[in-house]
């Protein structure tokens, strides 16, 4: 019935395919199609019978959504579950769907905070510190800072998920990731301070008073507007840009 | 059309692909694309000036929850592309700043205009998803791969087209303005650049600090220490 356990190559292929998890993101199934595509190497391994494999593939195109990097953990865990199911253990489609749903929402909650709210802004700040000093490698620093965690988790995640199963997001890993979020947030606050200092005194030469006053004005306005979701920072920035053009014309 | 413009349009497609459909490795962030465009157009300083402003705005724009965030992948390419294309036509420093002002604004407008296009792609992907499920039911497993790559191709084509339309439109409409009103635009840039940087940095700081006193203290200490080191020189 089954072709045995997933090989390292299969797990590698799943991690590679997870990069396309959001290629067909849509409002109905969200990452459903990408999920089935990423899981296919495992299903190919466990279900040599084409009919059964297609039936499983169709099941996995159902609604799924999570933070795309941490989806690797869920992929590994569900591949392990499918392996046991193919081996004849009493695991039905509803059980697989429950695990997907539970892992999806908890990984999304943690992943959104780790990647979108913390790591991406921190990586941007690292790049900005160099770029504001006029160094070309700011972009590379930003890329490297983000991807050693992002790509590391994407590739190691399938492995961890497969090994630990549905309990992959148990206490030790969750605690480590929560600690990472706290550490990165503190680093981010310090980096913003460093960026403000670099903007004020680039290369040891203080900026003109008008620049410093405008920067302070921008910081105060940003602090006030950050308390509300609407208008968005971009809408505020567009309004400021228009006002500055008007001011440039009138002066 | 110059090879540099074509390369700029293609970079818009690559950025659109990296932003969501493939890998999400931050190649699509304005700082990264501005650096590439700066090297391509031979004016890294101007590209970085615009790229820094757009990067700060992009970093404070978060893709969480149901909200579709502004598309700074294409916006970043449009912003730096417009600034560099306008700057390349002007010989003076003042015109360069005028290009930066118009480029940063074009980038933000591009980011806002990208939102309905992202929503349109997602609706197109619904059709792709239904087609794929029907094909799977008929026994065609290859449909999964075809659908994935079709999604990537759609994102790439949309990114290229949006970049081409916005950069092309901006060049057609703004070249005269950048050449004849460069002084006024440069004045506007002198005022807008620090305001934009301050606005974006405050948003970032707010998301990091989360009302925790120790993080606010870290911000203050690093600001003071950085300022002192830069003013006095490192010990």
């Amino acid at each position: 019935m089954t072709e045995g356990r997933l090989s390292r190559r299969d797990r590698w292929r799943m991690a590679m395919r997870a990069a396309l998890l959001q290629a067909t993101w849509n409002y109905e199934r969200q990452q459903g199609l990408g999920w089935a595509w990423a899981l296919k190497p495992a299903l190919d391994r466990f279900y040599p019978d084409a009919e059964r494999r297609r039936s499983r593939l169709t099941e996995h195109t159902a609604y799924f959504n999570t933070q795309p990097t941490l989806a690797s953990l869920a992929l590994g865990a569900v591949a392990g579950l499918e392996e046991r199911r193919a081996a004849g253990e009493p695991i039905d489609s509803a059980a697989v769907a429950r695990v997907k749903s539970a892992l999806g929402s908890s990984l999304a909650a943690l992943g959104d905070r780790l990647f979108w709210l913390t790591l991406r802004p921190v990586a941007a700040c690292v790049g900005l510190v160099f770029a504001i000093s006029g160094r070309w490698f700011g972009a590379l620093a930003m890329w490297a800072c983000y991807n050693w965690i992002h790509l590391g988790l994407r590739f190691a995640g399938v492995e961890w998920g497969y090994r630990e199963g549905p309990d992959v997001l148990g206490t030790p890993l969750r605690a480590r990731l929560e600690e990472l979020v706290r550490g990165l947030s503190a680093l981010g606050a310090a980096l913003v301070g460093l960026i403000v200092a670099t903007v004020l005194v680039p290369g040891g030469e203080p900026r003109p008073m008008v620049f410093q006053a405008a920067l302070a004005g921008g910081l105060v306005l940003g602090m006030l507007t950050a308390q509300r979701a609407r208008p968005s920072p971009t809408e505020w920035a567009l309004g400021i840009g228009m006002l500055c053009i008007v001011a440039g014309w009138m002066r | 059309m110059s090879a540099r413009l074509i390369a700029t349009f293609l970079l818009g497609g690559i950025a659109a692909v990296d932003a969501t459909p493939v890998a999400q490795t931050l190649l699509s962030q304005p700082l990264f694309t501005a650096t590439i465009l700066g090297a391509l157009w031979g004016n890294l300083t101007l590209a970085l000036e615009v790229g820094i402003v757009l990067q700060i705005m992009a970093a404070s724009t978060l893709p969480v929850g149901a909200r579709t965030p502004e598309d700074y992948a294409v916006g970043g390419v449009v912003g730096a592309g417009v600034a560099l294309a306008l700057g390349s036509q002007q010989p003076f420093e003042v015109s360069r700043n005028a290009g930066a002002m118009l480029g940063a604004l074009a980038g933000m407008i591009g980011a806002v205009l990208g939102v309905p296009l992202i929503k349109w792609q997602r609706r197109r992907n619904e059709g792709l998803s239904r087609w794929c499920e029907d094909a799977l039911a008929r026994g065609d497993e290859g449909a999964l791969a075809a659908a994935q790559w079709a999604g990537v191709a759609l994102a790439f084509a949309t990114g290229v087209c949006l970049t081409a339309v916005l950069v092309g439109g901006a060049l057609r409409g703004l070249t005269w303005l950048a050449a004849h009103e460069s002084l006024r635009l440069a004045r506007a840039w002198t005022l807008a650049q620090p305001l934009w940087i301050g606005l974006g940095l405050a948003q970032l700081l707010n998301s990091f600090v989360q009302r925790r006193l120790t993080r606010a203290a870290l911000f203050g200490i690093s600001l003071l220490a950085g300022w002192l080191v830069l003013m006095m020189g490192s010990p």
Side-chain angles (χ1 to χ4, degrees):
Chain A
M1 185 74 74
T2 172
E3 289 280 296
R5 287 178 65 81
L6 274 183
S7 65
R8 181 179 282 271
R9 186 167 173 273
D10 293 331
R11 296 194 292 268
W12 178 263
R13 284 178 64 206
M14 284 169 66
M16 289 292 285
R17 285 175 175 227
L20 264 71
L21 188 72
Q22 306 212 103
T24 46
W25 201 100
N26 62 77
Y27 294 110
E28 276 179 4
R29 309 282 177 154
Q30 303 207 347
Q31 296 165 342
L33 221 55
W35 170 271
W37 157 254
L39 196 65
K40 193 168 180 295
L43 299 180
D44 287 342
R45 173 72 63 190
F46 304 141
Y47 301 105
D49 173 53
E51 197 62 38
R52 286 190 71 199
R53 185 172 63 242
R54 273 200 293 276
S55 149
R56 296 289 177 272
L57 263 178
T58 310
E59 275 174 23
H60 281 289
T61 58
Y63 170 89
F64 181 75
N65 198 39
T66 192
Q67 198 281 332
T69 312
L70 292 187
S72 290
L73 292 164
L75 268 175
V78 169
L81 215 56
E82 283 291 354
E83 183 180 290
R84 285 162 51 199
R85 186 183 185 187
E89 286 191 34
I91 298 167
D92 60 4
S93 305
V96 175
R98 273 198 301 276
V99 169
K100 274 174 68 177
S101 167
L103 273 177
S105 47
S106 46
L107 289 171
L110 184 58
D112 281 352
R113 281 198 303 128
L114 174 58
F115 287 93
W116 304 143
L117 296 173
T118 316
L119 182 60
R120 200 179 70 152
V122 165
C125 286
V126 170
L128 285 167
V129 168
F130 293 112
I132 285 170
S133 318
R135 297 193 170 94
W136 66 269
F137 54 80
L140 272 185
M142 174 180 74
W143 187 89
C145 179
Y146 183 79
N147 283 297
W148 74 275
I149 296 179
H150 168 68
L151 293 181
L153 271 174
R154 174 158 282 166
F155 283 93
V158 176
E159 206 69 39
W160 292 346
Y162 183 62
R163 199 172 57 221
E164 304 291 330
D167 294 331
V168 63
L169 205 58
T171 318
L173 181 62
R174 182 187 286 273
R176 260 183 284 168
L177 293 178
E178 294 279 4
E179 203 175 316
L180 187 62
V181 170
R182 282 194 294 273
L184 285 171
S185 296
L187 176 66
L191 282 169
V192 174
L194 197 58
I195 291 171
V196 174
T198 317
V199 171
L200 284 172
V201 195
E205 278 293 314
R207 296 269 202 172
M209 195 53 81
V210 175
F211 186 98
Q212 297 193 19
L215 184 71
L219 281 166
V220 171
L221 181 64
M223 276 298 172
L224 292 174
T225 57
Q227 310 307 318
R228 286 170 172 269
R230 288 276 171 197
S232 73
T234 303
E235 288 161 348
W236 276 106
L238 277 170
I240 287 171
M242 295 306 170
L243 280 178
C244 289
I245 287 184
V246 171
W249 243 260
M250 287 168 65
R251 210 171 92 182
Chain B
M1 197 187 298
S2 80
R4 287 188 297 194
L5 268 179
I6 292 171
T8 305
F9 303 158
L10 291 176
L11 187 63
I14 293 168
V17 163
D18 179 75
T20 304
V22 181
Q24 306 94 35
T25 61
L26 299 200
L27 292 178
S28 53
Q29 291 293 292
L31 187 61
F32 205 98
T33 48
T35 306
I36 293 174
L37 287 175
L40 187 74
W41 287 80
N43 192 346
L44 192 62
T45 313
L46 177 59
L48 281 184
E49 278 194 1
V50 177
I52 284 166
V53 167
L54 294 175
Q55 181 59 62
I56 291 173
M57 298 314 301
S60 53
T61 302
L62 305 165
V64 288
R67 181 176 173 268
T68 308
E70 284 88 3
D71 181 12
Y72 273 100
V74 170
V77 176
V78 169
V82 168
L84 288 161
L86 289 175
S88 70
Q89 297 168 3
Q90 310 297 332
F92 305 114
E93 175 77 12
V94 167
S95 323
R96 192 175 67 88
N97 283 345
M101 181 72 204
L102 293 173
L105 273 177
M108 288 177 205
I109 291 169
V112 172
L113 291 179
V115 174
L117 274 179
I118 290 175
K119 290 180 177 172
W120 173 80
Q121 280 178 64
R122 290 174 174 179
R123 283 193 294 273
R124 301 298 308 165
N125 285 344
E126 284 173 13
L128 206 55
S129 176
R130 280 189 220 114
W131 167 81
C132 180
E133 283 167 38
D134 289 346
L136 264 180
R138 287 196 308 271
D140 177 12
E141 287 181 37
L144 258 179
Q148 293 299 99
W149 292 113
V152 174
L154 179 65
F156 180 77
T158 310
V160 170
C161 292
L162 183 59
T163 310
V165 167
L166 290 175
V167 174
L171 284 182
R172 190 168 267 272
L174 300 176
T175 304
W176 184 89
L177 197 66
H180 291 83
E181 299 293 348
S182 56
L183 263 178
R184 286 172 168 154
L185 287 168
R187 267 191 234 130
W189 174 249
T190 311
L191 201 58
Q193 186 195 23
L195 276 169
W196 280 331
I197 291 176
L199 177 83
L201 287 178
Q203 301 273 345
L204 278 176
L205 184 63
N206 184 63
S207 74
F208 287 138
V209 170
Q210 298 279 321
R211 298 181 184 176
R212 289 205 171 83
L213 207 59
T214 45
R215 293 181 196 166
L218 269 173
F219 163 74
I221 291 166
S222 71
L223 168 58
L224 197 62
W227 186 80
L228 280 172
V229 168
L230 288 165
M231 282 296 283
M232 314 292 179
S234 50

